Amino acid sequence: MGDTKANLTIDGTSREYSVLDGTIGPSVVDISSLYKDTGMFTFDPGFTSTASCESKITYIDGDEGTLLYRGYPIEQLADHGDFLESCYLLLYGELPTRPQKEDFVNRVTKHTMIHEQMSRFFTGFRRDAHPMAVMVGVVGALSAFYHDSTDIADPHQRMVASIRMIAKMPTIAAMAYKYHIGQPFVYPKNDLDYSANFLHMCFAVPCEEYKVNPVLARAMDRIFILHADHEQNASTSTVRLAGSSGANPFACIAAGIACLWGPAHGGANEAALNMLTEIGSVDRIPEFIARAKDKNDPFRLMGFGHRVYKNYDPRARIMQKTTHEVLAELGIKDDPLLDVAMELERIALSDEYFVSKKLYPNIDFYSGITLRALGFPPHMFTVLFALARTVGWIAQWKEMVEDPGQRIGRPRQLYTGAPKRDYVPVEQRR
Ligand code: SDX
């Protein structure tokens, strides 16, 4: 902690608050004693100026368009690493040595099956249920099957639950997809790597051999890396707040999935593709740009804008590159939706409204085109986001639980409701 102080004067009384410096990025004013000192709260709906915690996991610089996992740039991890290596890095803080990687991959592989009775949960859902509804339900139910890893005070159980979550999310996601399309569940195969295994569980059928395309598996793996963690976003903050009460990790992840579902957050990838489909052709773009700028129209360009990135989302660049790789591998010469997306981006980035508000494409803008080309329907897009983000949620949850200063999160409010008043008997009410 440096010796910089922040001075606050209220009604002529001045108080000093410590300024805490991080390794990189904005410093913070420690106002934890403000209420005790002044009887006042800070007011920051949406938490645009609030640091909710100290963390060593992920760093974002919104102006520079920088994203680091434990200090490593996302571009380098996406180009040179694989998803399970990033999982190890996010969980343990360092890139694994070869033996550490092999052990971690082996531990994850051995936890990919789910309790056979859990398959009955799926049949309780309508076939046309949104797969995110299934994910929230089934992941929350994991705590009913894995009691031996719900004691958050036990480091061993915390790690077992972490491995189980990372390992089982692809299996549950694939089962949600298979149930939705009326095909039989496909069991995980231990001789396939994480992302190839996921594609196999989604697209294999019992009637014939399914060969996973290694280029597509690599693209899937890179997409998982891009989505793995992202500082204190809404769903991660939800997981931290749920975990601060001592709730078991499976319940906390289910809470994160529920929050991610929203179209302003992880649901934007599905909404962005639906928007591109609705626009349909390049000549209709101006109509939608006008709607996005119209204050009286709730329409927003899905996949555009970000609370933190006021520059290009570094993940969107990598995603766009991946889109071209996947379309080329699949021999898709011209995808009309990609044409619409690229022209929409070009127009938006030269339009004063978007430039002035620093609205750039985010990770969700191109991901839908890629995921659709891989064979997934739009309502599976956020499921894939949740699959990848599970390691980030778990790493942040683990950091919170292991923080000796951790307490239950309990924000206050600015109350503007009715002052105290007496009960009025019904016969006297007008
Ligand atoms: C993710 O937090 C994370 O890190 C999230 C995420 C992660 O990895 O976890 O990165 C994943 O959720 C990415 C974001 C996906 N969401 C979308 O693409 C939905 C469309 N985007 C917007 O809803 C919005 O940009 C948000 C929700 C992403 C950010 O909202 P903010 O920070 O609260 O910004 P805002 O709504 O206050 O917008 C600021 C201004 C407003 O205009 P004014 O009131 O100042 O005049 O920009 C406008 C907004 O109207 N604006 C848009 C816009 N996004 C913001 N106008 C048109 N289209 C848009 N997409």
Side-chain angles (χ1 to χ4, degrees):
M1 183 182 348
D3 52 9
T4 309
K5 295 290 182 193
N7 285 294
L8 181 62
T9 302
I10 300 174
D11 297 337
T13 306
S14 288
R15 293 177 180 83
E16 276 194 347
Y17 293 93
S18 300
V19 173
L20 311 179
D21 300 324
T23 318
I24 45 179
S27 298
V28 299
V29 179
D30 180 352
I31 47 116
S32 44
S33 67
L34 180 75
Y35 179 59
K36 181 163 59 60
D37 298 342
T38 68
M40 290 188 182
F41 302 133
T42 58
F43 188 62
D44 184 18
F47 311 124
T48 45
S49 302
T50 295
S52 61
C53 63
E54 177 182 337
S55 179
K56 298 176 174 19
I57 298 172
T58 294
Y59 176 74
I60 305 171
D61 183 322
D63 295 325
E64 294 298 316
T66 301
L67 169 58
L68 310 176
Y69 289 168
R70 299 285 191 177
Y72 294 97
I74 191 68
E75 296 85 352
Q76 295 179 29
L77 292 169
D79 279 351
H80 305 302
D82 61 44
F83 179 63
L84 283 187
E85 181 182 72
S86 285
C87 288
Y88 186 99
L89 174 65
L90 289 167
L91 278 174
Y92 295 107
E94 297 296 336
L95 287 169
T97 60
R98 196 178 299 281
Q100 286 169 334
K101 170 90 179 291
E102 284 167 6
D103 170 62
F104 184 72
V105 169
N106 183 48
R107 281 193 287 151
V108 170
T109 302
K110 293 293 191 293
H111 280 283
T112 49
M113 287 177 73
I114 65 171
H115 192 292
E116 192 63 14
Q117 265 182 257
M118 291 201 75
S119 53
R120 294 187 204 150
F121 275 87
F122 293 84
T123 53
F125 290 96
R126 288 169 44 135
R127 287 275 182 188
D128 60 356
H130 194 293
M132 282 298 279
V134 175
M135 293 301 286
V136 172
V138 174
V139 171
L142 285 170
S143 52
F145 287 82
Y146 296 106
H147 297 286
D148 62 340
S149 62
T150 52
D151 175 3
I152 64 167
D154 178 348
H156 175 71
Q157 290 196 33
R158 289 202 297 269
M159 193 35 72
V160 170
S162 304
I163 295 289
R164 277 176 165 155
M165 279 307 329
I166 294 165
K168 296 181 192 308
M169 281 297 272
T171 309
I172 295 169
M175 290 172 81
Y177 174 58
K178 284 301 205 187
Y179 180 72
H180 188 80
I181 61 175
Q183 288 187 358
F185 298 142
V186 175
Y187 286 95
K189 285 170 63 80
N190 291 352
D191 59 347
L192 294 177
D193 69 32
Y194 191 86
S195 296
N197 196 18
F198 175 62
L199 293 179
H200 184 265
M201 287 190 283
C202 289
F203 300 122
V205 288
C207 334
E208 58 190 29
E209 181 71 18
Y210 177 80
K211 291 289 290 166
V212 178
N213 178 324
V215 174
L216 303 187
R218 174 73 189 120
M220 187 81 263
D221 200 72
R222 188 184 304 138
I223 291 168
F224 288 159
I225 293 172
L226 298 179
H227 287 82
D229 193 47
H230 213 239
E231 201 212 64
Q232 304 311 320
N233 59 86
S235 54
T236 297
S237 300
T238 301
V239 171
R240 277 181 172 260
L241 197 55
S244 74
S245 74
N248 74 70
F250 305 110
C252 294
I253 298 303
I257 294 170
C259 177
L260 186 76
W261 193 358
H265 190 15
N269 52 18
E270 175 179 357
L273 190 88
N274 292 339
M275 175 191 73
L276 293 173
T277 306
E278 187 187 357
I279 294 174
S281 64
V282 167
D283 56 10
R284 289 197 64 200
I285 290 175
E287 170 196 339
F288 284 84
I289 292 271
R291 284 188 56 194
K293 291 154 67 171
D294 177 356
K295 278 279 157 248
N296 301 316
D297 188 330
F299 174 80
R300 288 196 165 176
L301 283 187
M302 301 315 284
F304 260 80
H306 199 276
R307 169 62 54 78
V308 176
Y309 289 124
K310 300 308 171 190
N311 195 327
Y312 214 98
D313 181 337
R315 303 168 298 176
R317 286 194 202 290
I318 304 167
M319 184 57 76
Q320 192 187 48
K321 192 177 79 173
T322 305
T323 304
H324 290 294
E325 281 173 21
V326 166
L327 295 181
E329 176 64 19
L330 294 169
I332 300 173
K333 292 278 179 286
D334 50 0
D335 179 339
L337 290 192
L338 180 60
D339 297 341
V340 171
M342 293 184 72
E343 179 62 6
L344 178 59
E345 175 187 353
R346 187 191 67 76
I347 295 173
L349 295 188
S350 57
D351 183 293
E352 177 47 30
Y353 174 90
F354 294 91
V355 173
S356 64
K357 294 180 187 299
K358 300 185 175 181
L359 302 175
Y360 290 86
N362 59 51
I363 189 166
D364 296 306
F365 189 61
Y366 285 101
S367 58
I369 297 171
T370 318
L371 298 175
R372 188 183 67 136
L374 287 171
F376 295 103
H379 44 246
M380 275 295 291
F381 294 176
T382 310
V383 170
L384 302 183
F385 194 150
L387 187 168
R389 184 54 55 89
T390 293
V391 62
W393 290 329
I394 278 286
Q396 300 269 353
W397 165 81
K398 186 171 166 291
E399 183 178 66
M400 182 269 303
V401 169
E402 292 170 358
D403 174 357
Q406 186 269 327
R407 306 166 66 197
I408 188 167
R410 207 280 186 217
R412 301 302 302 277
Q413 63 180 9
L414 172 67
Y415 178 70
T416 54
K420 184 177 174 188
R421 52 185 170 163
D422 294 328
Y423 183 80
V424 177
V426 65
E427 55 278 0
Q428 294 174 25
R429 295 173 201 159
R430 295 286 170 268

